[in-house]
Amino acid sequence: MAAEFTPVQAVDALVPAITLLGFGAASALVTKAARLSPIVGYLIVGILIGQHGLGLIHESSATHLLAELGVVFLLFDIGMHVSMRELKESRRDLLGLAPAHLMLTGLMSAGALWLIGIAWPVALAVGLSLGLSSTAVVARILTEREQNSCPIGRTATHVLIFQDMVAIFLMIYATSLGGAETGASGLAGIISTHLLAGADLPLIGSLALSLVQAGLAFYAAVLAGKYLINPLFRTLVAIRNEEALRPSPCCSCWQPPARQQ
């Protein structure tokens, strides 16, 4: 039986969403009037209403869930506009430009952190993280400039996709640093516990295990798309589900479906 929310709990769960939506809409209107990108308004509002500003939004399970859902919907939207065939045709971007960009910026940042005394495994994780671009910001800018379909827009999208995959690797790598006694989890924690008696894994070992786990996660996502998502979409098309396939009525080219007599 599902747990029931009291009125107070329901309000506490809804307040962060309502606050974010309200201030987000207001910032979009203000930045539009000022002829600025809405991204600028979102960043400023995020600082103002955060814990170090007005304190209207605090870290909680609700805000974490909203943030995670935002990332999921963003990546889902990007995936809806990029096919596996297009990724195969863009090997130059995925295997050349994107890795070169990340290595240049990430390794420079990691090297700078190492020079100031930070341990190399941690410096590598933080440096590569600093080399990542914000998918939300770049995708929004491309949309505003109507460059999604032009060559530079497609190249930027391919670079973002590569960086999103690298971000999965970095999250796994960050949890594998050290050994079982220092909080390592996943395969690194298992190996440290059962094979190394709780000792820290070497850097090469952490990198290799993180790469394996990231590869498995990517392969699982590909299989889910092929055997779950694609059949679901084909079923919706076959049964002509109007609610799922109907485009937005605000589109000037949209016409309501003709009724059969």
Side-chain angles (χ1 to χ4, degrees):
M1 181 176 179
E4 296 183 359
F5 285 97
T6 65
V8 175
Q9 291 175 328
V11 171
D12 290 339
L14 290 174
V15 164
I18 296 173
T19 302
L20 292 171
L21 289 174
F23 278 91
S27 67
L29 293 175
V30 173
T31 51
K32 183 177 181 180
R35 297 183 179 181
L36 296 174
S37 172
I39 293 294
V40 177
Y42 296 152
L43 293 175
I44 294 175
V45 165
I47 295 173
L48 289 178
I49 67 177
Q51 295 186 93
H52 302 290
L54 300 177
L56 300 179
I57 294 293
H58 299 277
E59 287 194 23
S60 64
S61 58
T63 55
H64 288 174
L65 177 61
L66 290 173
E68 292 170 358
L69 288 177
V71 173
V72 169
F73 289 140
L74 173 65
L75 296 180
F76 181 81
D77 180 68
I78 293 177
M80 291 291 291
H81 295 86
V82 179
S83 64
M84 290 299 296
R85 182 177 63 181
E86 180 180 348
L87 292 180
K88 292 179 182 179
E89 295 174 352
S90 62
R91 292 187 295 270
R92 181 177 300 178
D93 294 334
L94 290 174
L95 302 179
L97 177 61
H101 168 267
L102 182 60
M103 290 299 102
L104 178 62
T105 56
L107 291 181
M108 287 178 60
S109 300
L113 294 172
W114 178 71
L115 289 175
I116 63 176
I118 297 179
W120 181 244
V122 178
L124 184 62
V126 177
L128 290 177
S129 300
L130 293 175
L132 300 179
S133 305
S134 173
T135 302
V137 173
V138 177
R140 180 70 183 188
I141 292 175
L142 292 176
T143 301
E144 292 174 0
R145 299 181 178 181
E146 298 181 352
Q147 294 179 328
N148 302 75
S149 301
C150 68
I152 189 174
R154 304 310 298 172
T155 297
T157 301
H158 299 154
V159 172
L160 291 174
I161 292 174
F162 175 83
Q163 292 187 357
D164 290 335
M165 292 188 292
V166 172
I168 298 174
F169 162 79
L170 288 176
M171 287 188 291
I172 297 173
Y173 170 66
T175 62
S176 67
L177 292 177
E181 295 181 354
T182 55
S185 60
L187 289 178
I190 295 175
I191 292 177
S192 175
T193 302
H194 297 284
L195 299 180
L196 302 178
D200 294 354
L201 269 72
L203 177 59
I204 297 299
S206 297
L207 289 172
L209 288 175
S210 301
L211 186 61
V212 169
Q213 292 179 87
L216 291 175
F218 177 77
Y219 188 64
V222 172
L223 291 179
K226 183 177 181 180
Y227 295 107
L228 294 178
I229 305 301
N230 285 344
L232 175 61
F233 285 165
R234 285 195 293 266
T235 302
L236 292 175
V237 172
I239 64 177
R240 302 183 64 83
N241 188 307
E242 295 180 1
E243 296 301 325
L245 301 177
R246 179 183 298 172
S248 174
C250 64
C251 178
S252 58
C253 63
W254 181 80
Q255 297 293 334
R259 296 286 184 181
Q260 294 183 354
Q261 298 295 332

